[in-house]
Each structure stands twice: as C-alpha cells, then as structure tokens.
Amino acid sequence: MKFSLPSRRALLVCIAIWVVYLVLCQMMIGIRSEHIFFVVLFLACFISTDMTRKFAMCMIPFIIFGISYDVMRLYPNYLVHDVDIQGIHDAELSLFGVTSDGVRMTLNEYFMLHNSPLADFFAGIFYLLWVPAPLAFCLYYFFKGNREVFLHFTWAFLFINLLGFVGYYIHPASPPWFFAQNGGVIDPSMLSEQMGSEAGLARFDSLVGAPIFHGIYSRNANVFAAVPSLHSTYCLCTFLYALKGRAHAVVTAILGVLSLGICWTAVYTSHHYLIDVLLGVGLCLGFVWLWEGVILRWKPIHRFYKRYTQYVS
C-alpha cells in the first residue's frame, strides 16, 4: 500500500467536521481522551492510503453510533420519563421466575446465589467480545472484498442501536443489579448521581485480578438503558450477516456461540432481565428483516448503496 493523500477539498471537509465535533464535545460534555484517540485514528486512516481511506468511510455508521451513545449524556432518559424499577422486576418474576428452596425469584437473583468461577470466566470473555467481534467481522469482510455485505451490516447495526436508544427514552428501565442494590423505590434526586456497576462481572475482575469491567462501567453513559438489551443485538446482527454473506463456517459458528453467550451473560451477571434480552433479539430480527426485505429494495436507497459500494470498492 502506497501513501496517498485525499483531495484537498475532501481533506479540508473532513478536518472541519472533526474540529466542529471536538468543539461541540468540549462545550457540551467535555473532551475525553477517547474522543481525541478516535478522531486521530480516523484522520490517520483517511489520509494514509486509498485502502485505509475506504475503510474509514465504511466505518462511518460505527462512528455515528459512538457519537449517538455519547450524546445521551446531554439529556439522560430518566429526565424524560419515570424509571421503571419495580414494574420490570415484577414482570420478569411473573413471566420467567424460578423457584429455589421454596422461594420465587428472577433468573438474575438465582444466578446471584448459584454461580461458579468457570461460568464467571466465560461470562467475562463473552462480554469483552461484544464490540471486538463486530469490528473483526467488518475487517473480515473488508479484506475479503465483499463491501456490499459490509455496508448492509454496518448501517443495519447503526439503525438497530438508534431504535434501541429511542426505546431507552420511551421506557427508561433499571437493570437487575440496580433493583438488587436499591429495591423498587429510589429518591429521584439520586438518579443523576447513580454510577454504572459491573454487577456480576465483578466476579470476573476478581478472577483475573484486574478492574477491567469496573473501569468500563464506571464510564457508563446511562444506567437506566436496559430495555431493550442492545448487548443482545450486537453479535446476533453480526451472525445474521455472516449467514447472509456466506462467511466461512468457522466464523459463522463462532459468532453464533458469541451471540448465545452474550445473551446468557446479560442475565447471568444481572445486567439485563430475560425480558430485555428477548426484546433486543426481537428488535434485531425484526429490523434486519425490514432492512433487507423492504428498505434496501426502495429505489432511492438502492441507488445510494450502489454508489456507496462502488466508492469504497
């Protein structure tokens, strides 16, 4: 690969966009180290070679996803509607509760009492891979040369997440660990002070002797974003596009296992109720069907994707 600068106009537009983004970040939420890192990474890809520039353009949906998630810090969903704490717990108990030693409890509460180091280890591995797996899949299809599947996947991934974010604001809901710590009622004034928690993943941190998940969840943009479970959608969406793109059987199998493992981990570690997981799975399956079967067949969208694919191929 040879060094290849983009056109002056493209470079100036790209730099201007990122400067405006950083200025807005500083004004609204404050610039953090990860903001600088990703801006520098994108610019490095954009100006280095023709191939890295095309990859950067393919990754635009992931960039929009990251920015959208960060923007939720501006106006948290608990300011829009009351947070569902007791109701979601009672619904889970009614629909999917189990009885242990004569006591009716949710699956989350059961796993809080019945867990093992081996299960804790695999739970941590699964949850560490929910972002790297989709990114690795993108790299796989980019270098395989199938940019059409790449773009179909990344934009579907983005819109599934945006719909999930809308769900967070329509129905703010607490995760199981929050109910376990605080009960069904909390002083509204405490909501803005509530920090994220690694919950059952703290057992993985103890196993490996490092605060990996503690560091991740202490930066959580919104604690009350449990319904639907978007963790359940990431690898499932990736798995569906592995099937669509006829990826290697080993790749597809790994993604299938990861998808199931992450859904299980979400419940096992008290990050989500089974209700949240099922809603996330339903959202993913429903949107991918709509995306591939209806939206992408609309002529203006089809023409846009054709030009987009040609540009990055």
Side-chain angles (χ1 to χ4, degrees):
M1 292 187 295
K2 295 182 179 180
F3 182 78
S4 172
L5 281 173
S7 68
R8 180 180 298 179
R9 178 182 178 183
L11 182 58
L12 289 175
V13 169
C14 182
I15 292 173
I17 290 172
W18 284 117
V19 168
V20 170
Y21 166 72
L22 290 175
V23 169
L24 290 175
C25 275
Q26 181 60 34
M27 293 172 58
M28 296 179 182
I29 57 178
I31 292 178
R32 301 191 305 278
S33 58
E34 55 261 39
H35 294 143
I36 302 296
F37 172 78
F38 285 113
V39 169
V40 171
L41 179 62
F42 183 89
L43 288 174
C45 290
F46 192 76
I47 66 176
S48 296
T49 69
D50 186 55
M51 180 172 287
T52 59
R53 184 157 46 254
K54 288 177 179 179
F55 182 74
M57 296 303 294
C58 283
M59 295 299 287
I60 285 176
F62 277 96
I63 295 168
I64 297 173
F65 157 66
I67 292 172
S68 301
Y69 180 81
D70 212 28
V71 165
M72 288 195 293
R73 299 175 190 273
L74 288 176
Y75 199 75
N77 62 345
Y78 57 77
L79 297 177
V80 179
H81 293 293
D82 291 337
V83 177
D84 183 359
I85 304 173
Q86 185 73 52
I88 188 77
H89 174 272
D90 291 348
E92 176 78 6
L93 188 63
S94 174
L95 292 171
F96 305 112
V98 296
T99 300
S100 177
D101 297 327
V103 179
R104 183 77 171 173
M105 61 184 69
T106 66
L107 287 169
N108 314 102
E109 292 163 342
Y110 177 83
F111 286 129
M112 287 174 65
L113 299 173
H114 303 85
N115 50 72
S116 70
L118 182 62
D120 293 337
F121 176 77
F122 277 106
I125 297 300
F126 285 135
Y127 245 45
L128 282 175
L129 292 175
W130 65 265
V131 170
L135 292 177
F137 178 76
C138 288
L139 286 169
Y140 170 78
Y141 263 101
F142 183 82
F143 289 107
K144 189 178 179 181
N146 195 334
R147 308 293 163 80
E148 182 178 359
V149 172
F150 185 114
L151 294 176
H152 282 212
F153 163 68
T154 53
W155 285 96
F157 182 93
L158 170 63
F159 288 122
I160 287 169
N161 278 279
L162 293 180
L163 287 171
F165 296 165
V166 171
Y168 293 166
Y169 280 87
I170 292 174
H171 187 82
S174 71
W177 63 259
F178 183 88
F179 181 89
Q181 289 183 7
N182 301 283
V185 180
I186 186 172
D187 185 344
S189 64
M190 295 173 59
L191 296 178
S192 61
E193 302 172 3
Q194 180 64 49
M195 299 295 292
S197 171
E198 62 273 30
L201 290 168
R203 298 192 295 268
F204 178 84
D205 284 358
S206 296
L207 279 175
V208 299
I212 297 173
F213 285 105
H214 176 75
I216 293 172
Y217 281 95
S218 64
R219 294 168 174 253
N220 195 354
N222 193 342
V223 169
F224 307 106
V227 178
S229 167
L230 290 180
H231 281 100
S232 305
T233 69
Y234 297 131
C235 279
L236 176 58
C237 183
T238 313
F239 171 69
L240 293 176
Y241 277 93
L243 291 174
K244 176 179 172 56
R246 298 179 181 178
H248 193 282
V250 173
V251 173
T252 305
I254 290 173
L255 289 170
V257 170
L258 282 177
S259 181
L260 291 172
I262 289 172
C263 289
W264 165 76
T265 299
V267 177
Y268 176 75
T269 60
S270 287
H271 279 276
H272 288 283
Y273 293 112
L274 183 55
I275 289 174
D276 310 341
V277 170
L278 293 177
L279 287 173
V281 168
L283 169 64
C284 183
L285 293 175
F287 183 80
V288 170
W289 173 83
L290 183 67
W291 182 244
E292 293 293 332
V294 180
I295 297 175
L296 288 176
R297 295 186 181 184
W298 189 35
K299 288 185 178 180
I301 301 296
H302 180 76
R303 287 195 297 267
F304 167 77
Y305 263 93
K306 187 175 181 179
R307 291 195 296 267
Y308 196 169
T309 303
Q310 289 174 345
Y311 176 76
V312 298
S313 295

